[in-house]
Amino acid sequence: MATSVDVKLEDQQKINHFSRLNTRVHELEAQLAAKRSDAEDLEEAGNEVMLLDDETAPYVVGECLVHLPREQVEERLHTALDDTQAAIKGLEGDIRSVKAQMAELKTVLYAKFGNSINLEE
């Protein structure tokens, strides 16, 4: 026999907050996947530039393709990769933080509602 538990306003607010955090984790994970892909692309581009025999290399600036000195292109790619890796670390930290908040809410909500609530994916 299932026991019913009254859902108070504060409980509903916690459930809603958990749902928003869950959505946020999915958004952050999508951003993280995109940044990781960008980092791979930048690494590959850097490797390709190193293999060039020319003194100049093509580089996209805005919507234009320009030829810059190879060293300058390598430096720009390295800077872009560093920025992307910093963004990846920031996103990973954000994901850990949101998941920690979710774990706290899960503990509270499962303690009150037991099997009456499902907070799993």
Side-chain angles (χ1 to χ4, degrees):
M1 183 168 135
T3 59
S4 66
V5 178
D6 290 332
V7 179
K8 297 179 181 171
L9 176 62
E10 67 183 40
D11 298 327
Q12 187 61 49
Q13 288 172 336
K14 288 176 184 173
I15 293 168
N16 293 345
H17 185 60
F18 181 88
S19 178
R20 286 190 303 274
L21 289 173
N22 190 42
T23 300
R24 180 73 178 136
V25 163
H26 290 291
E27 291 169 354
L28 290 170
E29 287 173 343
Q31 290 174 16
L32 180 61
K35 287 293 181 188
R36 285 183 173 156
S37 177
D38 291 347
E40 284 181 27
D41 293 345
L42 288 167
E43 286 177 7
E44 287 180 27
N47 292 337
E48 291 297 321
V49 168
M50 283 192 280
L51 296 175
L52 289 176
D53 291 333
D54 298 338
E55 290 298 317
T56 63
Y59 188 79
V60 175
V61 177
E63 294 183 13
C64 299
L65 182 67
V66 295
H67 288 271
L68 298 173
R70 197 173 85 211
E71 294 81 23
Q72 188 177 4
V73 171
E74 288 174 350
E75 183 180 308
R76 286 177 179 230
L77 288 172
H78 182 72
T79 300
L81 181 58
D82 288 346
D83 293 345
T84 302
Q85 289 173 335
I88 287 170
K89 287 182 182 180
L91 287 169
E92 289 171 341
D94 291 347
I95 290 170
R96 278 192 303 276
S97 173
V98 172
K99 284 186 175 183
Q101 292 176 49
M102 289 173 68
E104 289 176 21
L105 284 171
K106 268 186 183 182
T107 302
V108 170
L109 291 169
Y110 277 130
K112 178 156 187 177
F113 296 106
N115 292 335
S116 300
I117 191 168
N118 182 8
L119 300 173
E120 303 304 319
E121 291 290 325

